Amino acid sequence: MSAVNAESSASGGGTGGATSEANTPSAGIVIVGAGQAGLSCAEALRSGGFVGPITLLGDEATGPYHRPPLSKAWLAGEMDAAQLAMRAPQMLERKQISLRTGVRATAIDRAARCLVLENGERLPYSGLVLATGSRPRTLPLPGADASGVLTLRSRDDASALSEGLARCAERGLPLVVIGGGFIGLEVAATARKKGLPVTVLEAAPRLLGRVLAPALSDWVADLHRSHGVNLMLGVQTAHIAAGDDGRVSAVALADGRSLPAGLVLLGVGAVANDELAAQAGLACERGIVVDACGRTADPLIVAAGDCTARRLDDGTLLRLESVQNATEQGKSAAAALLGQARPFTATPWFWSDQYDRKLQMAGLSAGADHWVLRGQMDGGSGGFSVCHYRGTQLLAVDSVNASKDHLLARKLLDAGVSPTADQAADTAFDL
């Protein structure tokens, strides 16, 4: 493998790629965060021709692993640790990627080009990647510190949740989920498969109100109710009660009702881990502000994944939390450090598995003024899609058990091609 051209440099938007020093074999690139984005960046650096040291830092005890199964297959006991791992240690060794686990970064010394670790160690860098991810949002609820009140982000979180569900199953205790987002609903579905009583509390008048059309929100609600979930919408949580042993025993609502609980999951969104960047003087607004290539205002520092907020051409910020975004931003960030421009502009897509249904979303439906249904939303096992339009422009397609529609929608949106609403609604029309 030859070194990348030391004369290349990135440009645009007041940001730039790393200096030629980052392309020399003696220089090192440090990646903070050993998740999807960090791993993607490390591997893209190697495949892109970087021959210097690459250090991948993770604050967890394990190497890179898949997070989406944590609320589904892993929690259900259908996946083991080997299946959860993204890369075996030997694979990273073969690519000469140095993985350090259980390591926390506390500061960036931009003047000295050093990363400061919790133990006081200083790691010099010629290029720095911030792939610090996000953490579960918390609620200022009295009693939220009781034993058995959990969040879900990491493998350790999922293991604690699994143990809690097992305890509930043994004692016939219910799970209460606060928050009707994807994580909460996926855990609710998994718990119902295990036979546990489940209540989902959502403060908004409908589920997933920011991302789904009302009709699809109602469909998701009906799906959970049909599986026995006690779904309560438009309710406010007042406090969490605990027994004499310090364990959660009930969730009290603002209207005076009290719900028994053997376990509580807080699923009210996520917050970008941007503190390290903010303390270093980098622009942060709901995440580390980057351009389409993952570049910050510092030409030696890029960022990727859930910790970022991408500045769009119109000046607005877009924050995405998805495997696709982490993977592609990681590749874009690597290219930026190699002096290349690889903007991530593909249609965003997401998915969620609940019971025997797979919800797949392509595009962003915000700004849509009407939608059409493709297929039958009848509660049966057949597939259907909801196609979102602004005027005549197709913005997004949400598909349930309709993977072909989803894949075609991604291609249409990437190409800027919009079938008419009548064509989209006609299942005989070949998308």
Side-chain angles (χ1 to χ4, degrees):
M1 181 184 297
S2 60
V4 176
N5 179 5
E7 298 300 320
S8 61
S9 62
S11 62
T15 61
T19 64
S20 59
E21 181 184 352
N23 294 322
T24 63
S26 60
I29 292 179
V30 177
I31 303 172
V32 185
Q36 188 82 44
L39 177 64
S40 173
C41 186
E43 294 184 329
L45 284 165
R46 280 291 181 245
S47 63
F50 181 72
V51 296
I54 297 175
T55 303
L56 187 61
L57 304 177
D59 59 4
E60 296 183 56
T62 58
Y65 60 87
H66 298 284
R67 293 188 189 274
L70 293 179
S71 58
K72 301 178 282 287
W74 174 264
L75 191 61
E78 300 167 354
M79 177 181 283
D80 60 28
Q83 293 171 304
L84 198 65
M86 278 195 280
R87 298 290 184 274
Q90 306 91 296
M91 294 182 66
L92 296 178
E93 290 173 7
R94 283 200 295 269
K95 295 179 180 180
Q96 294 183 303
I97 296 171
S98 174
L99 172 66
R100 294 181 59 180
T101 58
V103 176
R104 296 184 63 86
T106 57
I108 302 169
D109 186 338
R110 291 169 60 189
R113 298 183 184 180
C114 282
L115 182 73
V116 183
L117 304 185
E118 191 173 42
N119 63 2
E121 183 181 356
R122 297 173 65 88
L123 291 181
Y125 63 80
S126 57
L128 180 64
V129 183
L130 301 178
T132 48
S134 62
R135 62 186 181 277
R137 188 183 302 277
T138 57
L139 290 176
L141 282 176
D145 57 349
S147 177
V149 179
L150 306 176
T151 57
L152 177 57
R153 173 65 183 176
S154 68
R155 177 175 156 177
D156 287 346
D157 292 340
S159 295
L161 184 58
S162 179
E163 293 171 3
L165 292 178
R167 181 179 181 276
C168 285
E170 291 172 0
R171 305 188 182 194
L173 300 173
L175 164 70
V176 175
V177 178
I178 300 177
F182 286 120
I183 290 293
L185 294 176
E186 289 170 358
V187 171
T190 302
R192 284 302 299 143
K193 287 182 179 179
K194 292 175 172 287
L196 271 71
V198 177
T199 294
V200 174
L201 306 176
E202 171 56 53
R206 61 186 179 92
L207 297 177
L208 301 165
R210 290 183 298 173
V211 294
L212 297 184
L216 192 49
S217 286
D218 293 343
W219 182 89
V220 172
D222 290 342
L223 173 67
H224 281 271
R225 288 185 175 119
S226 72
H227 283 83
V229 173
N230 176 27
L231 184 60
M232 303 176 67
L233 304 177
V235 297
Q236 298 291 331
T237 305
H239 68 269
I240 296 174
D244 293 338
D245 59 356
R247 292 195 61 86
V248 60
S249 60
V251 176
L253 304 182
D255 61 12
R257 286 178 290 178
S258 181
L259 306 173
L263 189 68
V264 173
L265 174 69
L266 297 179
V268 290
V271 179
N273 292 326
D274 60 5
E275 292 82 3
L276 192 63
Q279 291 167 6
L282 299 174
C284 294
E285 187 177 345
R286 295 187 300 113
I288 305 169
V289 177
V290 297
D291 66 7
C293 294
R295 298 176 293 212
T296 70
D298 186 321
L300 297 182
I301 303 177
V302 294
D306 290 4
C307 64
T308 65
R310 182 173 10 132
R311 182 75 69 185
L312 303 181
D313 292 339
D314 62 3
T316 61
L317 289 169
L318 176 64
R319 182 164 178 264
L320 299 172
E321 297 177 41
S322 71
V323 170
Q324 176 218 20
N325 183 66
T327 301
E328 295 304 320
Q329 272 197 325
K331 294 175 182 178
S332 294
L337 288 179
L338 296 176
Q340 304 158 7
R342 182 194 182 277
F344 168 46
T345 57
T347 297
W349 53 267
F350 318 84
W351 82 92
S352 176
D353 295 320
Q354 299 173 37
Y355 306 106
D356 58 348
R357 310 302 169 88
K358 179 179 285 292
L359 170 60
Q360 295 172 290
M361 294 156 283
L364 301 172
S365 60
D369 51 34
H370 67 286
W371 56 271
V372 296
L373 178 64
R374 181 178 176 85
Q376 297 297 317
M377 193 188 295
D378 57 5
S381 58
F384 65 87
S385 295
V386 176
C387 306
H388 303 266
Y389 283 84
R390 181 172 58 224
T392 60
Q393 180 184 1
L394 180 67
L395 295 184
V397 178
D398 301 330
S399 303
V400 175
N401 285 10
S403 294
K404 182 178 179 182
D405 282 1
H406 172 71
L407 293 173
L408 291 173
R410 284 162 53 179
K411 292 182 179 180
L412 290 169
L413 292 166
D414 277 342
V417 175
S418 295
T420 68
D422 289 341
Q423 289 172 334
D426 182 1
T427 55
F429 178 77
D430 188 352
L431 290 176

